[in-house]
Amino acid sequence: MLDGKRILLIVGGGIAAYKCLELIRRLRERGASVTPVMTRAAEEFVTPLSLSALAGEAVHRDLFDLTKEAEMGHIQLSRVADLVVVAPATADLMAKMAAGLANDLASTLLMATDTPVMIVPAMNVRMWEHPATQRNLKVLHGDGITVVGPDSGDMACGEFGPGRMSDPMTILAAIEGALSEGPLKGRRIVITSGPTHEPIDPVRYIANRSSGAQGTAIAAALRDLGAEVVFVSGPADVARPTGVEVVNVETAREMRDAVLSALPADAGVFAAAVADWRVARESDKKIKKKAGALPVLEFAENPDILAEVSQMATGRPRLVVGFAAETDDVITNATAKRDRKGCDWIVANDVSPSTGIMGGLENAVVVISDTGAEEWPRMSKADVAKRLAQRIAQALTGR
Ligand code: CTP
């Protein structure tokens, strides 16, 4: 139920705007109040009258509406809500949000608000897949904004693919999730994420292609369920999640030390792509090129953080989740990895370049536990994170 919760609903200009009418009804049925805001473009798709009639409140449309400014200024309007929902979030609105523009009422409210923001993207598939939108999406994820959908399927424009706005019931579930007290309230969870850098000399290092996207999304999803998250990250591409404790590290050994000092915790999620080896003797001076003499690097094994935490005799987190990045025989290799490391679950994925998973926005995982292997369909890394966070909540709380 959403009794007494206040939603500021910003309706963008897209054909999917009509779905907001249904969304408003469902929100009000559950006891929420809805304050609608429309962009100019939204008025081409739904009328202010239908929104205000269903919401039972006036619709806000203009930044410089002096009557409304006198009643409730736009800054105040942006802050009275428990949650700001942008649906449909058009490519234009997402770009404005990512760039921090504030040139109309909707974008100004989004800049001025101090309450959590959820966006529900909807646009043509090409626009969704455009590098600019994907870039903006990454920025918005990094800013701690919750993204719901988009779904794949036939679109109003006649094309097929991702870009369809999620249906009202899915949005409703996401809103309920975002506003709930959170099943993980009071639980502490340590997450490793990103690659590690293993120095060769002061200017060179060994690294891998992990972007940190999946670990970051998991941190955000666990935070959204109320967990106290310690996020131990190597030098990742994506911005660190907000609302969590961030510990920045560079090498596997630093990551291990940071994890051990973050314990005790209720759960550990080891999503980092930790380098298995480091250079045995790091040179403290830049290695110079000498004619005819190629440098030879000798390696030393790095500590296996997942195995060490899984096998702790005392103080082991109740739930230890590892990841397995494989390029072949995913289930067989990951099952063996789970046994070898001693963790409770392994989230395995195929990171062959042809899958586009490493460094991409989507993931297709198999979750291996003592009950066997469960294949999840390919979905966004954010959705994998949400599903995994739900599972973790169930395992820790029985809810
Ligand atoms: N891991 C870790 N410390 C390491 C190496 C890996 O904590 N030194 C963790 C990763 O975070 C991941 C899991 O172990 O959760 C599996 O990582 P992966 O690289 O797939 O496995 P490896 O043990 O390195 O096995 P291999 O490279 O032989 O597949």
Side-chain angles (χ1 to χ4, degrees), residues 2 9 15-30 54 85 87-88 118 120-121 148-149 151 164-177:
L2 292 167
L9 177 65
I15 185 73
Y18 76 92
K19 293 187 189 172
C20 287
L21 302 176
E22 166 91 4
L23 177 64
I24 294 173
R25 291 192 56 176
R26 300 288 163 238
L27 284 166
R28 293 199 65 205
E29 266 171 22
R30 281 163 177 73
L54 286 169
V85 178
M118 172 183 289
V120 193
V148 180
D151 289 351
R164 242 167 54 164
M165 185 160 107
S166 297
D167 64 86
M169 295 314 280
T170 306
I171 305 171
L172 190 66
I175 292 174
E176 283 178 328

Side-chain angles (χ1 to χ4, degrees), residues 79-154:
R79 308 229 172 123
V80 288
D82 296 294
L83 183 70
V84 178
V85 178
V86 186
T90 57
D92 180 64
L93 266 172
M94 286 176 63
K96 279 184 177 152
M97 290 173 77
L101 292 181
N103 57 1
D104 60 6
L105 180 61
S107 53
T108 303
L109 292 174
L110 286 160
M111 280 292 281
T113 191
D114 58 0
T115 46
V117 176
M118 172 183 289
I119 63 168
V120 193
M123 67 197 72
N124 166 274
V125 54
R126 288 274 160 78
M127 292 174 77
W128 175 251
E129 285 171 351
H130 194 284
T133 304
Q134 293 302 311
R135 207 163 46 232
N136 292 334
L137 181 66
K138 275 193 185 164
V139 171
L140 296 176
H141 275 309
D143 288 348
I145 285 166
T146 306
V147 182
V148 180
D151 289 351
S152 277
D154 287 322

Side-chain angles (χ1 to χ4, degrees), residues 193-208 231-236 240 247-258 272-275 277-278 282 302 305:
S193 181
T196 61
H197 284 185
E198 307 297 332
I200 298 170
D201 66 18
V203 297
R204 304 182 178 95
Y205 57 83
I206 295 170
N208 61 65
F231 183 74
V232 182
S233 176
R240 305 290 183 265
V247 185
N248 289 310
V249 298
E250 198 167 304
T251 65
R253 284 173 296 170
E254 287 168 8
M255 187 172 271
R256 169 191 175 271
D257 293 348
V274 186
W277 310 284
R278 65 176 180 276
E282 175 191 345
N302 267 332
I305 309 165

Side-chain angles (χ1 to χ4, degrees), residues 119-386:
I119 63 168
V120 193
M123 67 197 72
N124 166 274
V125 54
R126 288 274 160 78
M127 292 174 77
W128 175 251
E129 285 171 351
H130 194 284
T133 304
Q134 293 302 311
R135 207 163 46 232
N136 292 334
L137 181 66
K138 275 193 185 164
V139 171
L140 296 176
H141 275 309
D143 288 348
I145 285 166
T146 306
V147 182
V148 180
D151 289 351
S152 277
D154 287 322
M155 307 192 62
C157 53
E159 290 182 47
F160 183 89
R164 242 167 54 164
M165 185 160 107
S166 297
D167 64 86
M169 295 314 280
T170 306
I171 305 171
L172 190 66
I175 292 174
E176 283 178 328
L179 290 176
S180 76
E181 264 285 84
L184 288 172
K185 204 174 169 66
R187 311 285 170 150
R188 184 176 167 88
I189 303 186
V190 178
I191 304 179
T192 67
S193 181
T196 61
H197 284 185
E198 307 297 332
I200 298 170
D201 66 18
V203 297
R204 304 182 178 95
Y205 57 83
I206 295 170
N208 61 65
R209 294 185 196 281
S210 165
S211 65
Q214 187 63 83
T216 302
I218 294 168
L222 290 166
R223 171 205 64 199
D224 288 347
L225 294 184
E228 178 197 334
V229 173
V230 184
F231 183 74
V232 182
S233 176
D237 292 344
V238 298
R240 305 290 183 265
T242 53
V244 305
E245 184 188 333
V246 175
V247 185
N248 289 310
V249 298
E250 198 167 304
T251 65
R253 284 173 296 170
E254 287 168 8
M255 187 172 271
R256 169 191 175 271
D257 293 348
V259 166
L260 294 185
S261 50
L263 296 178
D266 297 283
V269 179
F270 296 88
V274 186
D276 290 323
W277 310 284
R278 65 176 180 276
V279 175
R281 274 173 299 279
E282 175 191 345
S283 168
D284 57 2
K285 294 197 178 61
K286 186 181 172 206
I287 302 171
K288 300 299 283 180
K289 192 162 69 184
K290 289 190 203 103
L294 294 176
V296 176
L297 296 181
E298 195 185 322
F299 288 96
E301 198 164 324
N302 267 332
D304 188 324
I305 309 165
L306 173 64
E308 185 172 344
V309 172
S310 298
Q311 293 163 28
M312 281 170 70
T314 51
R316 179 192 193 273
R318 254 181 66 200
L319 181 68
V320 179
V321 182
F323 277 69
E326 306 289 346
T327 50
D328 44 14
D329 294 332
V330 175
I331 295 182
T332 315
N333 282 331
T335 305
K337 200 168 276 180
R338 175 176 173 270
D339 293 343
R340 201 167 61 237
K341 306 246 187 184
C343 56
D344 301 296
W345 303 346
I346 281 269
V347 180
N349 57 12
D350 184 344
V351 291
S352 309
S354 59
T355 64
I357 284 173
M358 212 158 195
L361 284 174
E362 291 189 332
N363 206 350
V365 305
V366 184
V367 179
I368 292 159
S369 66
D370 58 356
T371 55
E374 185 187 320
E375 276 181 63
W376 292 4
R378 192 176 171 114
M379 57 182 102
S380 70
K381 287 185 176 174
D383 286 343
V384 168
K386 282 182 205 145

